[in-house]
């Protein structure tokens, strides 16, 4: 039987898509340099590279958000011109962005219908849309209630809505931009099942990631980008994790840094019976007890939105606890304002560095004194001492390898990795007693990630208590001496490094207590 | 914090000269309007130039007009840097002037060297109160300061009209039927020294000195550091221990105080009495609004606001002269001013884009990769279907 070129969704399949010699130049940098890339029907093609390697730029070219300076795009051997996302959609190309583009106060059906023409303009045809959503859900195993509101859905379900939205619009080729960043290990597994199904049905899938094990798990072929150039395209089956990392970074990479044995000391941070509210007024933390010791990294694992932010904010004083007590080196700090806790050498690497950690229109120098501008030598009787500030920032820029044209550069013009280095430099240079590091490597490239982790390990060695709050389970497993798992504002359990396996932690992250099965 | 790259002086020079080019472009468009009115633009602009800079007296008048613009503009630099939009300069000028005038009319037995400083402080306080009220409303009750400062203008006008027609009215006017709303003249001893024979008074010099002080306040003191930090990122400031609300209030208090000072200077340096035609601009000459434009023109930098204020002062004075010499309707003068504002504000957007681009290039040269999210393709607005 002749192979049909119609997908189960009813749309025409894209047999072969080719990008040839794509170059995209931005002022001062060549984001894509003569990149060739291709994907075929039924294939999951991973696009691997560090942040800034040019993978998102390449995909934005394909999706019509950027116009390439050079290069051609061939769709089923026909040259096409993709001027806008609308063109891309009309050509059967869909993109699932890392940050979902959903209106929370609308239902699934309303979101899917948004931006497509109704069959009976100017009236809506939501019942039709709903039926189609149910049909698509049945075909692809993406069951979802079309009448549910987005805010009622979990992150994993919202991602399904995004996929359905793309399919509804006729996507035969799907670009998935770091789709697993927001999922639990179990959700990732479910997601991969869906991806494989879609590939089997004849879809072409491009999977953007910098997580090596996921690339190995899911992809058929992998293309590696580095500094805007393609290193090569390989059959995934032939590549090892070490190969991929080397291609991606251009040198050998340490995966699980050898953790030096450090004698655990006294408890420096004690949290007893802490509860607080979330921004919505619902319980954010419920009766949390934790202790972090000198010379240890305490990992806090959990799926996004289970109280991690609240925990960090309660400890640092940005959020009021409704009950409980926090002690720093035996001293009760529960009622102190944030600045007083900072002065007692509690350091904070915030999750949203641009919101809580940096002032983006301030210079690097001004940002580096944000915690201590009111103290000598940086100011005397209300007057800033520019000489001292300059010396201080020169020292930190060189000690912490911050890459910046000058200390007068505005923070907002640096890359994420360098901004994080500024935050890390400022917090660690104060020789803190306790560090709260919230998602310290999120969005950073491999080099910057390694750097931040090494610094945290150095702090551990020097006797600081490090609380590492991370949604990246690999990071927690690699660094933490003990792992506390948080679920719906409660600590589900604390696991020693030796006993920690992804499966065990994953179950706790999903709210399943040991022995409860 | 001074070692900026010296090799890129040319783009920086272009940036600095941009407002001048923009002004020239605006006058060019103005020339078309003049031609349509069958007026020779060369003649008209020559009259304008003569009116603003042509003689010692013209120059002095320009500076007299520039003084309140600069003082209000300094306050605007502070509040806008703190992300507080103060549209209440008019009202703050009025209230400052009222308090300052009261001092001069009450302490008639005191010597001038004592009264003038007291009046200046009174004006400073008056403006500070009038700015502080919207500041407190914003900080503690989340009331939009744009609305509240505008409303405070309306209140101030009515207060002025009430006082100048009633309790504070010039006794000689009270006796007459005309009842012009004005106060009695200040004693000669209380008037700010002038550069005779012109009307240029000491206030202009004070304003320039204050501009330097405001620069120091914003960039060399912890107060300024906090005001700017709160303006840029209240979350990070709060965590850094800044009492965000207090600094919102402070930004508006200082902003109002400078406008109040502008009001006092008008009374003690120019008119020697408080006088109005019943509207706010009858007293302020709209300096409370034009000062905002001057500050924006000066890129919200106190030192940059000095030439910006002089330029606008020159436009005001020169346009008057042009109107008299070539006989154009006064509406044209307003239109010319408007054109300058539109062109300069547009050039400012362009300048910012150039600056951002330059910085991004410098950074990517060091980092070897494009900064996150930058730069967007300038020719193409990415359209992301929901």
């Amino acid at each position: 039987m002749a192979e049909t070129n119609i997908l189960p969704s009813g749309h025409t399949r894209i047999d072969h898509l080719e990008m040839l010699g794509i170059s995209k130049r931005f002022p001062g940098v060549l984001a894509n340099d003569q990149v060739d890339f291709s994907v075929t029907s039924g294939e999951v093609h991973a696009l691997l590279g560090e942040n800034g390697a040019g993978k998102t730029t390449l995909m934005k070219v394909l999706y019509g958000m950027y116009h390439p300076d050079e290069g051609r795009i061939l769709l089923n051997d026909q040259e096409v011109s993709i001027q806008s996302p609308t063109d891309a959609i009309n050509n059967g190309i869909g993109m699932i962005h890392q940050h979902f583009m959903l209106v929370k106060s609308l239902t699934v059906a309303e979101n899917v219908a948004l931006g497509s023409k109704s069959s009976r303009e100017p009236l809506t045809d939501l019942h039709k849309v709903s039926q189609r959503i149910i049909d698509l859900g049945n075909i692809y195993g993406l069951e979802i209630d079309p009448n549910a509101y987005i805010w009622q859905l979990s992150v994993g379900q919202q991602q399904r809505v995004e996929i359905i939205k793309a399919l509804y619009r006729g996507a035969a080729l799907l670009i998935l931009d770091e789709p697993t960043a927001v999922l639990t290990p179990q959700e990732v597994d479910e997601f991969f099942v869906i991806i494989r199904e879609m590939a089997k049905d004849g879809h072409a899938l491009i999977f953007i990631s910098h997580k090596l094990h996921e690339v190995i798990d899911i992809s058929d072929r992998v293309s590696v980008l580095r500094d805007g150039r393609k290193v090569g395209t390989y059959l995934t089956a032939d590549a090892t994790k070490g190969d991929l990392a080397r291609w991606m970074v251009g040198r050998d990479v340490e995966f699980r840094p050898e953790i030096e044995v450090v004698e655990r000391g006294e408890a420096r941070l004690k949290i007893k019976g802490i509860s607080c509210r979330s921004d919505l007024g619902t319980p954010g933390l419920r009766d949390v007890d934790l202790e972090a010791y000198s010379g240890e990294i305490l990992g806090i694992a959990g799926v996004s939105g289970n109280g991690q932010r609240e925990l960090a904010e309660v400890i640092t004083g940005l959020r009021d606890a409704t009950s409980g007590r926090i002690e720093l080196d035996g001293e009760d700090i529960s009622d102190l304002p944030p600045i007083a806790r900072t002065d007692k050498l509690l350091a904070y690497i915030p999750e949203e560095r641009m919101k809580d950690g940096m002032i983006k229109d301030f210079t690097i120098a001004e940002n580096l004194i944000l915690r201590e501008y009111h103290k000598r030598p940086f100011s005397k009787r209300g007057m800033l001492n520019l000489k001292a500030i300059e010396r201080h920032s020169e020292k930190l820029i060189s000690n912490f390898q911050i890459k910046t044209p000058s200390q007068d550069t505005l923070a907002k013009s640096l890359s994420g990795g360098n901004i994080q280095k500024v935050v890390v430099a400022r917090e660690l240079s104060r020789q803190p007693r306790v560090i709260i590091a919230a998602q310290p490597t999120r969005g950073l490239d491999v080099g910057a990630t390694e750097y931040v982790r090494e610094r945290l390990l150095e702090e551990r060695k020097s006797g600081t208590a490090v609380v590492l709050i991370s949604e990246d389970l690999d990071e927690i497993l690699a660094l933490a001496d003990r792992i506390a798992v948080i679920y719906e504002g409660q600590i589900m359990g604390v696991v020693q490094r030796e006993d920690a396996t992804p499966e065990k932690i994953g179950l706790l992250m999903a709210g399943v207590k040991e022995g409860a099965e | 914090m001074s070692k900026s790259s010296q090799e890129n002086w040319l783009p920086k020079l272009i940036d600095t000269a941009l407002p001048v080019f923009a002004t020239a472009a605006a006058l060019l468009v103005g020339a078309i309007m003049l031609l349509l009115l069958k007026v020779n633009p060369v003649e008209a602009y020559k009259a304008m130039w003569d009116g603003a800079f042509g003689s010692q007296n013209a120059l002095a008048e320009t500076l007299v007009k520039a003084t309140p613009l600069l003082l209000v503009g300094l306050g605007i630099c502070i509040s806008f840097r703190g992300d507080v939009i103060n549209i209440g300069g008019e009202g703050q000028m009025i209230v400052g002037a009222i308090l300052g005038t009261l001092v001069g009319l009450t302490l008639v037995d005191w010597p001038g060297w004592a009264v003038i400083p007291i009046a200046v402080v009174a004006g400073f306080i008056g403006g500070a109160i009038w700015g502080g009220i919207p500041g407190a409303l914003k900080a503690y009750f989340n009331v939009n300061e744009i609305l509240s400062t505008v409303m405070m203008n309306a209140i101030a006008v009515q207060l002025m009209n009430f006082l100048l027609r009633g309790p504070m009215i010039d006794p000689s006017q009270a006796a007459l039927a005309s009842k012009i709303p004005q106060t009695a003249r200040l004693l000669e001893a209380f008037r700010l020294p002038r550069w005779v024979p012109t009307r240029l008074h000491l206030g202009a010099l004070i304003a320039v000195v204050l501009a330097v002080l405001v620069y120091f306040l914003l960039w060399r003191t912890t107060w300024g550091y906090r005001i700017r930090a709160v303006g840029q990122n209240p979350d990070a400031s709060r965590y850094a221990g800044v009492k965000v609300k207090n600094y919102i209030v402070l930004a508006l208090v200082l902003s109002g105080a400078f406008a109040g000072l502008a009001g006092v200077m008008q009374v003690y340096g120019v008119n020697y009495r408080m006088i109005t035609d019943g509207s706010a601009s009858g007293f302020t000459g709209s300096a409370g609004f034009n000062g905002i434009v001057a500050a924006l023109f000066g890129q919200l930098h106190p030192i940059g606001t000095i030439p910006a204020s002089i330029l606008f002062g020159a436009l005001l004075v020169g346009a008057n002269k042009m109107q008299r010499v070539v006989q154009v309707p006064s509406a044209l003068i307003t239109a010319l001013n408007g054109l300058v504002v539109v062109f300069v504000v547009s050039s400012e957007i362009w300048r910012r884009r150039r600056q951002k681009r330059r910085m991004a290039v410098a950074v990517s040269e060091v980092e070897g990769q494009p900064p996150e999210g930058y730069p967007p393709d300038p020719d193409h607005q990415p359209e992301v279907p929901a």
Side-chain angles (χ1 to χ4, degrees), chain B residues 18-375:
Chain B
L18 259 182
V20 180
F21 292 137
T23 309
L27 293 182
L28 224 61
V29 176
I32 298 171
M33 299 200 303
L34 285 165
L35 282 173
L36 290 175
L37 286 168
K38 302 197 168 46
V39 171
N40 180 351
V42 178
E43 203 183 316
Y45 286 141
K46 181 170 184 315
M48 194 175 195
W49 176 266
D50 287 345
F53 302 110
S55 64
Q56 185 192 23
N57 197 53
L59 186 63
E61 278 306 304
T62 293
L63 296 180
V64 167
K65 281 275 191 236
T67 302
L69 298 182
L70 176 55
L71 285 169
V72 172
L74 293 178
I76 296 299
C77 289
I78 298 171
S79 64
F80 279 38
R81 289 273 172 191
D83 197 28
V84 192
I85 310 297
N86 179 13
I87 313 289
E90 295 275 287
Q92 292 146 10
M93 272 182 83
I94 290 171
V95 174
I98 291 173
L99 285 198
T101 309
L102 272 177
V103 169
L105 294 179
T106 316
L107 305 178
V108 283
D109 301 330
W110 291 41
W113 57 262
V115 171
I116 294 177
I118 295 175
V120 166
V121 170
F124 202 78
I125 291 173
I129 293 171
W130 223 245
I133 294 171
L137 286 174
K138 177 183 172 69
Y140 303 107
F141 301 102
N142 206 17
V143 175
N144 182 307
E145 78 279 15
I146 298 179
L147 292 177
S148 58
T149 49
V150 168
M151 289 179 192
M152 293 296 280
N153 285 344
I155 297 172
V157 175
Q158 297 314 321
L159 184 66
M160 169 175 71
N161 284 336
F162 164 71
L163 290 173
L164 263 52
R165 289 197 166 111
M168 283 173 75
I169 193 167
D170 183 354
S172 65
Q173 285 292 334
L176 296 171
S178 59
K179 292 210 163 131
I180 294 173
Q182 65 179 33
T183 64
R185 274 172 86 87
L186 293 174
L187 294 178
E188 223 155 292
F190 297 171
R191 301 174 185 173
L192 285 173
R194 272 185 178 175
W195 182 41
V196 256
T198 69
R199 295 205 301 161
L200 182 60
H201 56 89
L202 188 64
L205 188 64
I206 295 177
V208 171
V209 172
L210 285 174
V212 178
L213 285 180
V214 170
Y215 169 78
F216 254 83
L217 170 80
L218 282 174
W219 280 280
R220 300 290 173 87
T221 68
T222 51
W223 274 25
Y225 183 87
R226 291 192 197 109
I227 288 176
R228 289 184 300 122
V230 167
Q232 301 284 358
N233 185 343
D235 292 309
S237 307
R238 190 164 67 101
Y239 184 61
V242 180
K243 295 194 170 64
V244 172
K245 291 179 178 187
N246 295 1
Y247 281 86
I248 290 174
V249 180
L250 180 67
L252 261 170
V253 162
L254 286 175
S255 191
F258 276 93
L261 215 51
V264 173
M265 294 296 175
Q266 283 308 92
V267 174
Y268 280 73
V270 183
N271 300 326
Y272 301 146
R273 59 155 47 113
M274 201 169 168
I275 178 168
T276 178
D277 59 4
S279 70
S281 59
F283 167 67
T284 62
S286 295
F289 292 129
N290 291 335
I292 301 175
V293 181
L296 291 173
F297 202 118
Q299 291 158 13
L300 292 180
H301 193 293
I303 306 301
T305 307
I306 299 174
S309 304
I310 294 174
L311 176 74
F312 275 95
L315 273 176
L316 292 173
V317 177
N320 259 332
K321 169 100 179 196
M322 174 169 118
Q323 198 185 337
R324 283 197 309 274
V325 172
V326 297
Q327 297 290 322
V328 288
S330 64
L332 182 86
I333 305 304
T334 318
L336 263 182
N337 271 334
L339 274 174
V340 172
V341 171
V342 168
F343 272 78
V344 169
V345 170
S346 315
S347 77
E348 169 66 12
I349 293 166
W350 198 45
R351 185 191 67 86
R352 272 195 208 150
R353 193 183 287 173
R354 281 167 48 86
Q355 204 172 30
K356 190 174 168 192
R357 187 173 269 243
R358 249 198 336 266
M359 205 165 250
V361 171
V363 167
S364 55
E365 273 165 9
V366 178
E367 292 189 338
Q369 57 175 251
E372 254 170 49
Y374 188 85

Side-chain angles (χ1 to χ4, degrees), chain A residues 471-490:
Chain A
E471 284 154 23
D472 180 351
L473 190 49
D474 295 337
E475 173 163 276
I476 298 253
L477 290 170
L479 298 182
D481 296 287
R482 289 185 305 140
I483 300 166
V485 181
I486 193 165
Y487 172 76
E488 292 191 342
Q490 281 173 303

Side-chain angles (χ1 to χ4, degrees), chain A residues 277-349:
Chain A
R277 277 189 236 290
S278 73
D279 289 340
L280 297 172
T282 55
L285 292 176
R286 304 179 216 204
D287 201 21
V288 167
D289 292 314
L290 280 175
E291 286 181 349
Y293 292 84
S294 165
E296 118 175 312
I297 294 181
L298 172 66
I300 309 283
V303 179
S304 172
N306 271 288
Q308 292 95 324
R309 198 156 70 86
E310 286 82 355
L311 181 64
E313 290 182 353
V314 163
I315 298 174
T316 52
L318 285 169
R319 185 182 294 266
D320 291 330
T322 47
S323 65
R325 184 181 159 87
I326 303 167
E327 285 176 15
L328 182 68
D329 277 345
E331 187 184 351
D332 186 355
I333 60 165
S334 318
D335 297 323
L336 295 182
I339 186 73
R341 301 186 196 195
T342 304
D343 289 344
K344 297 207 178 295
L345 299 178
L346 173 73
Y348 181 33
I349 300 173

Side-chain angles (χ1 to χ4, degrees), chain A residues 22-26 60-61 64-70 82-84 87, chain B residues 377 379-381:
Chain A
I22 300 289
S23 291
K24 177 70 192 170
R25 190 183 303 275
F26 292 120
K60 282 186 172 172
V61 166
M65 293 169 78
Y66 286 154
H67 293 185
D69 297 318
E70 283 167 47
I82 300 176
Q83 296 294 324
S84 68
D87 286 352
Chain B
D377 195 337
D379 332 314
H380 183 237
Q381 282 296 319

Side-chain angles (χ1 to χ4, degrees), chain A residues 138-155:
Chain A
N138 288 338
I139 298 168
Y140 291 97
L142 294 160
E143 284 84 6
I144 203 114
D145 175 6
N147 298 316
Y149 287 93
I150 299 299
W151 57 265
Q152 296 172 319
L153 304 179
S154 73
V155 177

